[in-house]
Amino acid sequence: MNDEQLDQIFKALADPTRRRIIDRLRKQPNQSLFQICALSVAEGEKAVSRQAITQHLDMLEKAGLVHVSWSGRTKIHALDLKPLRKAADIWLHRHLQEGKDR
Amino acid sequence: MNDEQLDQIFKALADPTRRRIIDRLRKQPNQSLFQICALSVAEGEKAVSRQAITQHLDMLEKAGLVHVSWSGRTKIHALDLKPLRKAADIWLHRHLQEGKDR
DNA sequence: ACGATATGCAATGATTCTATTGCATGTCAA
DNA sequence: TTGACATGCAATAGAATCATTGCATATCGT
């Protein structure tokens, strides 16, 4: 994993809407764009447009956290946590493991 | 820790310059602004101005990751990894611990 | 007191993010 | 085949981010 990938992952995590998308994709994997939008509204959040969701999903895909496949006219989104785990190993855990007193 | 704090922490991690500041502050704690700038230049990165560093440090401070104290005219920056650990526990580890196959 | 040092504050500009709207395209089902 | 459905594409617009420059302030050493 190079620096740019690492950066894209951390940037992808910077937005709360994207973190919630990850939350939901883990709760129920392989959702369509439509489903993700619907849940987004259903959970009482400030309704965000379909295009906004699309753009967030694009970012997640570019970061390698989401893989897309098509089934007819529906776009299926699969979560991939491996890059997230790798990024955490590379940068985050290095700081958190030692020196738990600080 | 509330949602806004969590968000500030993830946003703080989104920038590579800030992550490098954290790296260095862990390597050598309690550095002054001047020291951080100097190292920033010394490590061959594209020289960033003092004000830019200041703004990054402000963000890190607002996220609770850096605490500031004064000693005369020098501003000392202490790293605090506790909020980082908490944020990782609240959001990240929840996803990473289970389902290591995905 | 004076000059050098460490930092603050304010204004600005460029770029990137987030979200929106309107219209187009392709697929399913009756 | 036609209409409803799921999504794409493009053009914004407003806000936030990242970095810069110039000047001001306060502290230290001599």
Side-chain angles (χ1 to χ4, degrees):
Chain A
M1 170 170 304
N2 61 35
D3 277 6
E4 201 192 323
Q5 290 176 300
L6 189 75
D7 200 45
Q8 277 184 322
I9 290 173
F10 275 106
K11 277 194 183 8
L13 299 184
D15 187 274
T17 301
R18 285 193 291 271
R19 288 198 304 275
R20 255 182 284 111
I21 289 176
I22 292 178
D23 287 339
R24 289 206 210 86
L25 271 180
R26 217 176 75 86
K27 216 171 168 183
Q28 179 182 343
N30 298 315
Q31 292 185 64
S32 72
L33 172 59
F34 183 80
Q35 286 178 295
I36 294 171
C37 292
L39 277 186
S40 187
V41 172
E43 292 189 9
E45 303 156 22
K46 46 190 179 286
V48 67
S49 71
R50 174 174 60 89
Q51 316 306 14
I53 299 280
T54 294
Q55 291 179 61
H56 284 305
L57 284 168
D58 284 348
M59 272 204 191
L60 289 171
E61 194 188 354
K62 273 170 193 154
L65 299 173
V66 159
H67 298 166
V68 167
S69 61
W70 283 87
S71 163
R73 64 183 155 176
T74 61
K75 191 189 188 184
I76 305 294
H77 301 82
L79 194 59
D80 183 359
L81 291 174
K82 289 195 295 293
L84 193 53
R85 194 168 290 121
K86 194 147 199 171
D89 284 340
I90 290 180
W91 192 84
L92 191 63
H93 292 159
R94 176 156 54 85
H95 292 301
L96 296 188
Q97 281 168 4
E98 330 159 21
K100 292 211 196 279
D101 49 321
R102 292 203 213 97
Chain B
M1 172 172 302
N2 63 33
D3 278 7
E4 203 195 320
Q5 289 176 301
L6 189 75
D7 200 46
Q8 277 184 321
I9 290 172
F10 275 106
K11 279 194 183 4
L13 299 184
D15 187 274
T17 302
R18 285 193 291 270
R19 288 199 303 277
R20 254 181 286 111
I21 289 176
I22 292 177
D23 287 341
R24 290 206 211 84
L25 271 179
R26 217 176 75 86
K27 218 171 167 185
Q28 179 181 344
N30 299 314
Q31 293 186 63
S32 71
L33 171 60
F34 183 81
Q35 284 178 297
I36 295 171
C37 292
L39 277 186
S40 188
V41 171
E43 292 188 8
E45 303 155 23
K46 46 189 177 290
V48 66
S49 70
R50 174 175 59 89
Q51 316 305 12
I53 299 280
T54 295
Q55 290 178 59
H56 284 304
L57 284 169
D58 284 348
M59 274 205 190
L60 290 171
E61 194 187 354
K62 273 170 194 156
L65 298 173
V66 160
H67 298 168
V68 166
S69 61
W70 284 86
S71 164
R73 63 184 156 175
T74 61
K75 191 189 188 185
I76 304 295
H77 301 83
L79 194 56
D80 183 0
L81 291 174
K82 289 194 297 293
L84 194 54
R85 195 167 290 122
K86 193 146 200 174
D89 285 340
I90 289 180
W91 191 84
L92 190 64
H93 293 159
R94 176 156 53 86
H95 293 302
L96 296 188
Q97 281 169 3
E98 330 159 21
K100 292 214 197 271
D101 49 322
R102 292 200 213 100

